[in-house]
Amino acid sequence: MKFNKISLVLLLASPSLFASPNLTISTSTNSRDFPLSSESPLVVPLTKASYTLKVTGIEGNCIAQTEQKVKFNQPLSLNCASMTELPIKIRFNGDYAFTFDADNKTLLIKRQPKKSTKKAFKRPLPQVQCDSYDGGEVTVHLADTYKDGTQLKDKLSGQVVTVTKQQVILTPAVNSGGLILLEPLHKPVKEAEFNWRNANIYFVMIDRFNNADTSNDNSYGRRKDGKDEIGTFHGGDLKGVIEKLDYIKSLGTNAIWLSPIVEQVQGFVGGGNAGSFPFYSYHGYWARDFTKIDNNFGNEDDLKRLVEEAHKRGIKVLLDVVINHSGYATLADLQGDDIPVVNPSSDWPAQWSDWQPSTGQSWHSFNDNIDYNNVEWSRWWGGDWVRTGLPNYPKPGTNDRTLSLAGLPDFITESSKSVTPPEWLLNNPGTRVISRDNYTVADYLIEWQTDWVRRFGIDGYRVDTVKHVSGDVWTRLKQAATTSLDDWREENGKTGQPFWMMGEVWGHSAYRSPYYDDGFDALINFDMQKKMDQGASCFSQMADTYQSYADTLKQEPDFNPVSYMSSHDTELFFGRFKSFEMQRNAASALLLSPGAIQVYYGDEVARNIGPYGDDFHQGTRSDMNWSLDANRQQLLKHWQILGQFRQEHPAIGAGEHHEIKQQKGYAFSRTLGADRVVVAFAGNVTSADNTSK
């Protein structure tokens, strides 16, 4: 999900995973990591907020530090072989320099007198040990994966070879990065049964993907800002997704995760810490009415057709579910719903949604005319529904279940009190909200979300902000969604796999936690993105990660991590190194990972980061690039081959993993029943001219 505040991203993994010093700067909800070098200071723009600094990867001997107060312009001692964690409060917006002294194992923090330039940060390539491949034929040992005489085909080069003495000899394909994908030449006629552990999930942020219907681009009076359009609606819609289903299928995709489709708050809030841009709910995580499709995204006929067309192509559809919070109160909603808490200035437009800041104001300035102490706020959601800092509303707490994320209204989902929906929601044109007897907040939210399943045959959910809602609510949601899907299938004469639920637990890595007991079939794995740096530098670096994931999958029957390389709440991998070679190699590392994977739209064509003002994450939601240069066409081809290879072989994500020792490079087999594949890596290619075409 995305918040109305500056966020810095990427999650911290175990200190032992870092090959070089690394600094992670985090807020309470997000974080971002940077490499530390003693050669030059790291300069980072920070806004007024409380942060936590975490330093890892410091080698050598040093005295362990326990408690240490951060002081600017004074060296801070760092731990060796363990993480150093330091709280820091930034009182002034600006650029801050972090100077690392490798000899003394210290970090110096200093505020810069001038802002840094807007030059894009380009991460240095990781320094890792890796075998090299100089061209020509290589011998791949297969252990006992295949019998002698078996004919195998390399998916990347198309070469056909015969197993002799448990090995084959072949030449890696040009532009493969030294990778070889071996499968039996004669595959079973019967198509492999879908397995969620082998899922290849394509995450589409609808507004930024493809605009097939320009007539709905400015619904509800939403406007463009005429500048960078950082936080405005760009026009993508469900029809646009339908248009690109064949493209999505070509990636080996077997499930689409759609960003939330429900009606969003209709106006804007101030974007970023400085309020430098109007921020609309184009991303879908600020709901207004959970029972309607937002007009910007399309209508119910579009959703029905999307599900039908996806199913024809063997692609399942996942909706993004938000139960923790609603959207902010915008001027457009306050005016349209007649919530009398605004004191408009004499120069305000008749339609408050047309408000723009005057000279000396920012997009935050409209808040100056809102009376946050007015008792009429009770006519908004009301104190029985949400916690928030308004009169006669329960105050947000400090733990995960009761806090207010980024000031968003926090639904009181643990309440056993019967509630009635607010009048503005009951009167919302086209709503399916009905007042029910003895319904709690959670009862309504579960009914609203599962109604989409019952009416359209939705296959599963991606669930937002899992740790901020109690487990019993998720259990009930899963049960209700399962019943709803069964009802739809009975009505439509369909059969299929059980309803599937994937959760976002911020910072969760690849292990089985108690969240799996709350109805979740999978959890997003924040661990993989960090490991992509080294894996893209040398595929052999994935050996320990693959073994760890595979071992846990084998030990825990209901465990399934969903790994990713880019996301809307972290970073775009291509933005880290600006390297097509690294992007290709990261694709290999991700698509061959045990367990399910998630591809963020545009990863496959190296989508560039967009403008973001002082909110980094807005840049990760840039428009999909459909016009491809030669580098991107080549990258897309590699992605399609690997994606289809994964789809054809459930053993890749769901099979038993065995590393196969080689004289040089790295190889492993994956086996699931009769499905067997071998993946080999000859080493980093020293010259593309030396590889086979």
Side-chain angles (χ1 to χ4, degrees):
M1 62 170 295
K2 202 63 249 139
F3 304 138
N4 174 34
K5 62 192 281 190
I6 186 168
S7 318
L8 298 171
V9 191
L10 207 104
L11 255 112
L12 191 66
S14 169
S16 62
L17 300 175
F18 294 93
S20 57
N22 185 88
L23 171 67
T24 298
I25 306 175
S26 61
T27 64
S28 60
T29 55
N30 297 296
S31 60
R32 190 179 176 195
D33 74 320
F34 303 89
L36 283 175
S37 171
S38 57
E39 297 179 0
S40 60
L42 167 69
V43 179
V44 181
L46 296 175
T47 57
K48 184 178 178 181
S50 294
Y51 299 90
T52 299
L53 308 180
K54 298 176 182 178
V55 182
T56 55
I58 308 300
E59 298 180 349
N61 297 314
C62 50
I63 300 174
Q65 304 296 322
T66 52
E67 294 185 8
Q68 192 174 187
K69 186 175 181 180
V70 173
K71 293 185 178 181
F72 292 93
N73 304 316
Q74 292 187 22
L76 298 162
S77 299
L78 302 176
N79 295 328
C80 295
S82 64
M83 180 174 62
T84 304
E85 183 169 339
L86 302 166
I88 181 173
K89 191 167 187 176
I90 299 298
R91 300 182 183 278
F92 302 98
N93 297 344
D95 290 351
Y96 290 80
F98 297 82
T99 302
F100 171 57
D101 186 333
D103 294 329
N104 296 310
K105 308 294 190 297
T106 60
L107 184 69
L108 181 73
I109 308 173
K110 183 178 181 181
R111 187 183 178 206
Q112 298 290 84
K114 295 181 180 180
K115 286 198 91 173
S116 61
T117 66
K118 286 285 186 180
K119 185 178 179 180
F121 174 75
K122 186 175 180 179
R123 186 184 302 261
L125 296 178
Q127 299 299 309
V128 298
Q129 295 291 325
C130 193
D131 288 331
S132 62
Y133 168 63
D134 301 323
E137 292 183 334
V138 298
T139 299
V140 179
H141 297 280
L142 305 172
D144 59 354
T145 310
Y146 303 106
K147 294 180 179 179
D148 281 1
T150 304
Q151 286 188 300
L152 304 179
K153 180 181 179 180
D154 174 20
K155 188 75 171 181
L156 285 161
S157 68
Q159 294 171 85
V160 176
V161 291
T162 301
V163 179
T164 304
K165 296 181 180 180
Q166 296 184 322
Q167 64 186 34
V168 292
I169 300 174
L170 72 168
T171 304
V174 67
N175 298 319
S176 69
L179 195 66
I180 298 167
L181 308 177
L182 294 173
E183 63 182 0
L185 177 62
H186 304 292
K187 291 180 286 189
V189 176
K190 184 180 179 181
E191 186 175 337
E193 184 178 350
F194 173 76
N195 189 313
W196 276 109
R197 281 185 164 180
N198 193 51
N200 183 349
I201 304 167
Y202 194 76
F203 174 24
V204 174
M205 181 156 284
I206 298 170
D207 177 67
R208 304 299 171 90
F209 188 62
N210 184 40
N211 188 358
D213 184 358
T214 57
S215 68
N216 61 11
D217 288 2
N218 299 295
S219 301
Y220 312 107
R222 292 165 178 156
R223 299 175 48 151
K224 304 293 186 183
D225 66 21
K227 297 179 181 178
D228 291 330
E229 309 298 343
I230 293 172
T232 57
F233 279 82
H234 289 194
D237 42 45
L238 294 172
K239 288 181 179 177
V241 179
I242 295 169
E243 276 190 354
K244 299 298 182 179
L245 282 174
D246 286 335
Y247 167 84
I248 294 171
K249 181 182 178 181
S250 77
L251 302 173
T253 302
N254 39 40
I256 299 176
W257 157 16
L258 299 172
S259 57
I261 62 173
V262 301
E263 184 180 87
Q264 300 294 294
V265 294
Q266 297 179 1
F268 59 82
V269 294
N273 189 72
S276 57
F277 60 90
F279 192 0
Y280 291 85
S281 187
Y282 68 86
H283 45 69
Y285 293 97
W286 297 343
R288 163 182 163 84
D289 187 335
F290 292 94
T291 70
K292 293 177 58 183
I293 294 177
D294 192 277
N295 289 345
N296 257 82
F297 302 145
N299 56 44
E300 292 190 358
D301 288 339
D302 299 333
L303 178 61
K304 183 175 186 292
R305 181 166 171 246
L306 191 159
V307 174
E308 289 174 347
E309 293 297 324
H311 285 172
K312 286 179 184 177
R313 293 163 173 81
I315 299 173
K316 301 182 186 300
V317 179
L318 309 179
L319 292 189
D320 203 319
V321 166
V322 184
I323 281 183
N324 175 67
H325 57 269
S326 70
Y328 298 109
T330 73
L331 290 178
D333 298 290
L334 292 173
Q335 184 179 36
D337 296 334
D338 193 25
I339 312 294
V341 296
V342 181
N343 301 311
S345 302
S346 58
D347 58 349
W348 272 32
Q351 294 298 318
W352 294 353
S353 57
D354 293 335
W355 182 92
Q356 297 184 61
S358 302
T359 302
Q361 292 184 318
S362 75
W363 288 95
H364 287 322
S365 297
F366 73 87
N367 289 287
D368 297 341
N369 293 83
I370 296 180
D371 182 2
Y372 287 103
N373 295 313
N374 195 319
V375 295
E376 294 295 333
W377 276 105
S378 62
R379 293 165 60 176
W380 189 41
W381 277 101
D384 289 339
W385 276 86
V386 299
R387 302 178 183 87
T388 189
L390 294 171
N392 301 318
Y393 281 73
K395 302 300 180 186
T398 57
N399 60 46
D400 284 338
R401 301 286 170 80
T402 62
L403 60 75
S404 175
L405 286 171
L408 290 161
D410 183 59
F411 282 124
I412 311 174
T413 53
E414 76 280 10
S415 174
S416 59
K417 183 177 182 179
S418 297
V419 295
T420 300
E423 284 300 315
W424 62 264
L425 183 55
L426 290 168
N427 296 329
N428 193 29
T431 189
R432 292 176 62 84
V433 173
I434 300 173
S435 182
R436 306 285 194 188
D437 292 336
N438 302 316
Y439 261 42
T440 65
V441 171
D443 291 336
Y444 280 109
L445 290 167
I446 291 171
E447 176 181 275
W448 297 340
Q449 298 287 8
T450 57
D451 190 47
W452 297 106
V453 181
R454 184 184 60 79
R455 294 194 293 133
F456 295 93
I458 302 301
D459 300 286
Y461 290 147
R462 178 270 185 183
V463 178
D464 189 64
T465 53
V466 168
K467 67 181 178 181
H468 301 293
V469 177
S470 60
D472 65 295
V473 175
W474 299 132
T475 301
R476 291 176 54 205
L477 177 70
K478 175 67 173 298
Q479 293 169 344
T482 297
T483 300
S484 294
L485 181 56
D486 289 344
D487 290 345
W488 179 84
R489 285 174 173 165
E490 184 176 351
E491 292 172 8
N492 292 274
K494 304 288 185 179
T495 59
Q497 294 189 333
F499 189 85
W500 192 76
M501 202 159 83
M502 167 180 71
E504 178 227 26
V505 179
W506 186 262
H508 201 284
S509 57
Y511 68 98
R512 191 203 183 283
S513 68
Y515 290 107
Y516 283 90
D517 299 325
D518 296 334
F520 290 97
D521 300 289
L523 295 177
I524 294 174
N525 174 27
F526 288 78
D527 180 52
M528 176 63 89
Q529 189 182 46
K530 172 72 73 174
K531 296 175 179 177
M532 281 289 161
D533 289 13
Q534 294 187 16
S537 297
C538 178
F539 186 70
S540 301
Q541 296 289 317
M542 298 306 300
D544 290 345
T545 299
Y546 283 175
Q547 192 67 59
S548 174
Y549 290 4
D551 288 347
T552 309
L553 284 163
K554 185 176 181 179
Q555 295 163 7
E556 303 288 353
D558 60 350
F559 164 74
N560 191 7
V562 183
S563 301
Y564 68 90
M565 60 188 281
S566 303
S567 84
H568 61 316
D569 278 344
T570 58
E571 294 179 284
L572 296 184
F573 188 86
F574 188 69
R576 297 160 79 88
F577 300 103
K578 315 293 193 300
S579 164
F580 289 99
E581 181 180 356
M582 288 288 283
Q583 191 78 1
R584 176 202 63 196
N585 295 346
S588 301
L590 176 67
L591 290 166
L592 296 171
S593 177
I597 62 163
Q598 169 240 301
V599 177
Y600 190 31
Y601 76 100
D603 273 348
E604 71 279 8
V605 290
R607 177 167 57 89
N608 280 312
I609 192 170
Y612 54 85
D614 68 349
D615 185 345
F616 174 80
H617 294 101
Q618 303 312 312
T620 69
R621 296 87 172 274
S622 53
D623 289 334
M624 178 65 176
N625 45 328
W626 294 110
S627 179
L628 306 181
D629 57 25
N631 284 325
R632 287 180 165 83
Q633 289 175 3
Q634 183 174 296
L635 174 64
L636 175 60
K637 182 179 179 181
H638 181 81
W639 206 292
Q640 289 170 327
I641 292 173
L642 262 73
Q644 291 169 22
F645 181 71
R646 179 185 177 95
Q647 185 179 44
E648 292 163 2
H649 297 287
I652 294 174
E656 192 164 326
H657 172 94
H658 291 286
E659 184 172 342
I660 305 173
K661 296 299 181 183
Q662 307 291 311
Q663 291 180 346
K664 188 178 181 181
Y666 169 56
F668 59 83
S669 66
R670 298 270 174 80
T671 305
L672 183 66
D675 185 26
R676 296 172 177 237
V677 298
V678 169
V679 175
F681 173 62
N684 277 343
V685 179
T686 57
S687 172
D689 295 334
N690 291 331
T691 54
S692 168
K693 294 183 180 181

